[in-house]
Amino acid sequence: MSEGERRNMAPIERLIRELSRLPGVGERTATRLAFFIMRQPPEFARGLAGAIVEMKERTRLCSECMGLTEEDTCAICRDPRRDPETICVVEHPQDAMAIERTGAYRGRYHILHGAISPLDGIGPEELKVAELMRRLEGGRAREIIIATSANVEGEATALYLTRLIRPSGIKVTRLASGIPVGGSLEYVDASTISKAIEGRREF
Amino acid sequence: MSEGERRNMAPIERLIRELSRLPGVGERTATRLAFFIMRQPPEFARGLAGAIVEMKERTRLCSECMGLTEEDTCAICRDPRRDPETICVVEHPQDAMAIERTGAYRGRYHILHGAISPLDGIGPEELKVAELMRRLEGGRAREIIIATSANVEGEATALYLTRLIRPSGIKVTRLASGIPVGGSLEYVDASTISKAIEGRREF
């Protein structure tokens, strides 16, 4: 949108246009959101706008794990109680947040910011792979848990990282694939069932 | 959220919290939107935040039709080609926008900003009804098309306005209810079919 176009547009139309650029937000949803914001007290609009700008301006990448932080290193990397010998490698910051919500993991993270996807022109150079290798060289890591997605790109990334890291003697593991908890076999797809059989464990 | 809470929250978490307050946006969607905004260039965040604040600050109610405008009166009320003898009464500004998109209407509008809903404590005093009556007293209106929603609140509002306006001798009409264009009878609910039969027209 040019500056001229922007000036000629009514503020409500401009907001609808900006909101439509968000993923999963069509013009209809954008209109509903814009009119909702319109009906709220001015503090609502100021709070939301402030949060957007502040997030973008104040958030940067942790120099250690490449996660999001306001400081040089993030709260997890600064926490001495987190096991520095275990690093869980994920694609996105929100993946680390999902693992954190379980409370089941006490190690550190490394955020790749994507997965290898030749079709989209994303190779290891576009990801935070060099940062991971530098971290492993100087660090105390003894196990790398690869927690990339269970899709083609995630698997390709896992394979690539495994080959890269294994020569250094560090143990490389992968999250288990299988039947989701609460999942009825009837509704689980064939490849998940195959993975679950392949990865079956003794009682 | 208090100022203290706000300060203690990471910017990304604060944005997720603010986005979750939008209608139809749960924590999962808010997280996806926040990380999307994070990955965009800074201009994206500034454009969106600017549009939110600007919409709220610059938009006010048209002194004539109560629609949204940046001036004293809106573009439709200022347009001499729009028929001043016909006023279409709608609940919300977006309803007028929906009618405008059809290109089928060349009269003016009046925006009520809601519908009568005793259960929600919304009576005529909470709506722009007095403004409509003042407008009719001094104006040239000859027909009022009531285009409130086809639900209980919309019908109650339509009935109330009809009783209020009719003594002045101005013609009051209501949008036709019936089968939506392209709608297969099989999937249309019984009350819509009843309305369509009731409002049947000769070929």
Side-chain angles (χ1 to χ4, degrees):
Chain A
M1 204 173 350
S2 75
E3 202 36 60
E5 278 183 287
R6 206 169 259 161
R7 252 199 311 274
N8 282 326
M9 213 183 272
I12 188 93
E13 284 166 16
R14 195 189 135 206
L15 178 57
I16 292 171
R17 177 91 83 96
E18 294 281 347
L19 288 169
S20 311
R21 297 167 68 188
L22 293 171
V25 177
E27 200 187 318
R28 197 178 279 259
T29 305
T31 305
R32 191 166 47 85
L33 295 178
F35 281 108
F36 174 85
I37 297 169
M38 182 69 213
R39 286 194 305 273
Q40 303 308 305
E43 303 78 53
F44 182 91
R46 277 199 295 269
L48 178 56
I52 292 169
V53 168
E54 192 177 291
M55 186 270 292
K56 192 64 193 170
E57 280 175 359
R58 282 178 48 195
T59 306
R60 44 183 174 146
L61 297 189
C62 169
S63 61
E64 188 78 12
C65 74
M66 304 292 132
L68 303 181
T69 177
E70 295 168 74
E71 321 279 335
D72 177 61
T73 46
C74 74
I76 293 177
C77 289
R78 281 199 312 271
D79 186 346
R81 290 164 307 176
R82 304 289 300 225
D83 175 13
E85 299 192 339
T86 314
I87 296 176
C88 180
V89 178
V90 296
E91 292 178 14
H92 303 290
Q94 52 271 50
D95 300 332
M97 278 170 74
I99 296 175
E100 280 302 286
R101 272 197 294 271
T102 68
Y105 181 66
R106 297 305 298 164
R108 313 285 178 106
Y109 291 97
H110 190 85
I111 323 288
L112 294 174
H113 290 273
I116 294 173
S117 174
L119 282 178
D120 303 313
I122 298 174
E125 305 73 33
E126 275 70 45
L127 306 175
K128 304 296 182 190
V129 170
E131 288 81 356
L132 174 62
M133 297 315 290
R134 256 201 304 280
R135 205 174 153 192
L136 296 187
E137 273 166 33
R140 296 183 283 162
R142 300 186 51 175
E143 179 179 355
I144 306 299
I145 304 172
I146 301 184
T148 51
S149 302
N151 55 23
V152 178
E153 292 81 15
E155 295 292 351
T157 309
L159 198 66
Y160 176 86
L161 290 177
T162 305
R163 287 187 182 148
L164 203 64
I165 299 168
R166 210 176 264 151
S168 67
I170 298 172
K171 185 162 130 194
V172 183
T173 57
R174 179 101 175 89
L175 284 194
S177 270
I179 314 299
V181 176
S184 161
L185 262 194
E186 193 181 348
Y187 302 113
V188 175
D189 63 291
S191 49
T192 300
I193 296 182
S194 304
K195 287 272 188 189
I197 294 174
E198 201 181 299
R200 69 191 182 280
R201 299 174 60 175
E202 217 171 321
F203 257 112
Chain B
M1 204 172 353
S2 75
E3 201 39 55
E5 278 182 288
R6 208 168 256 159
R7 252 198 312 274
N8 281 326
M9 214 183 270
I12 188 92
E13 283 166 17
R14 195 189 135 206
L15 178 57
I16 293 171
R17 177 91 84 95
E18 294 282 346
L19 288 169
S20 312
R21 296 167 67 189
L22 293 171
V25 178
E27 201 187 319
R28 198 177 277 259
T29 305
T31 304
R32 191 165 49 84
L33 294 178
F35 280 108
F36 175 85
I37 297 169
M38 183 69 213
R39 287 194 306 273
Q40 304 307 304
E43 304 77 54
F44 182 91
R46 277 199 297 267
L48 179 57
I52 292 169
V53 168
E54 192 177 291
M55 187 271 293
K56 191 64 192 170
E57 279 174 1
R58 282 177 48 195
T59 306
R60 45 182 173 143
L61 297 190
C62 169
S63 61
E64 189 77 10
C65 74
M66 305 291 131
L68 304 181
T69 178
E70 296 167 73
E71 322 280 335
D72 177 59
T73 46
C74 74
I76 293 176
C77 288
R78 281 199 312 272
D79 186 345
R81 292 164 305 176
R82 304 288 301 225
D83 175 12
E85 299 192 339
T86 314
I87 296 175
C88 178
V89 179
V90 295
E91 292 178 14
H92 304 289
Q94 52 271 50
D95 300 333
M97 279 170 73
I99 295 176
E100 281 302 286
R101 273 197 293 273
T102 67
Y105 181 66
R106 298 304 299 165
R108 313 284 178 106
Y109 292 97
H110 190 86
I111 323 288
L112 294 174
H113 290 272
I116 294 173
S117 174
L119 283 178
D120 302 313
I122 299 174
E125 305 73 34
E126 276 72 45
L127 307 174
K128 305 295 182 189
V129 170
E131 288 80 355
L132 173 62
M133 297 315 289
R134 256 201 302 280
R135 207 176 153 190
L136 297 187
E137 273 167 35
R140 296 183 285 161
R142 299 185 51 173
E143 180 179 354
I144 305 299
I145 303 172
I146 301 184
T148 52
S149 302
N151 55 22
V152 178
E153 292 80 14
E155 295 292 351
T157 310
L159 198 65
Y160 176 85
L161 290 177
T162 305
R163 287 187 181 149
L164 203 63
I165 298 168
R166 210 176 264 154
S168 66
I170 299 171
K171 187 163 128 194
V172 182
T173 58
R174 179 103 176 88
L175 284 195
S177 269
I179 316 299
V181 175
S184 162
L185 263 194
E186 192 181 349
Y187 302 115
V188 175
D189 63 290
S191 50
T192 300
I193 296 181
S194 304
K195 286 272 188 191
I197 294 172
E198 200 179 299
R200 69 189 182 280
R201 299 174 59 175
E202 217 171 319
F203 257 112

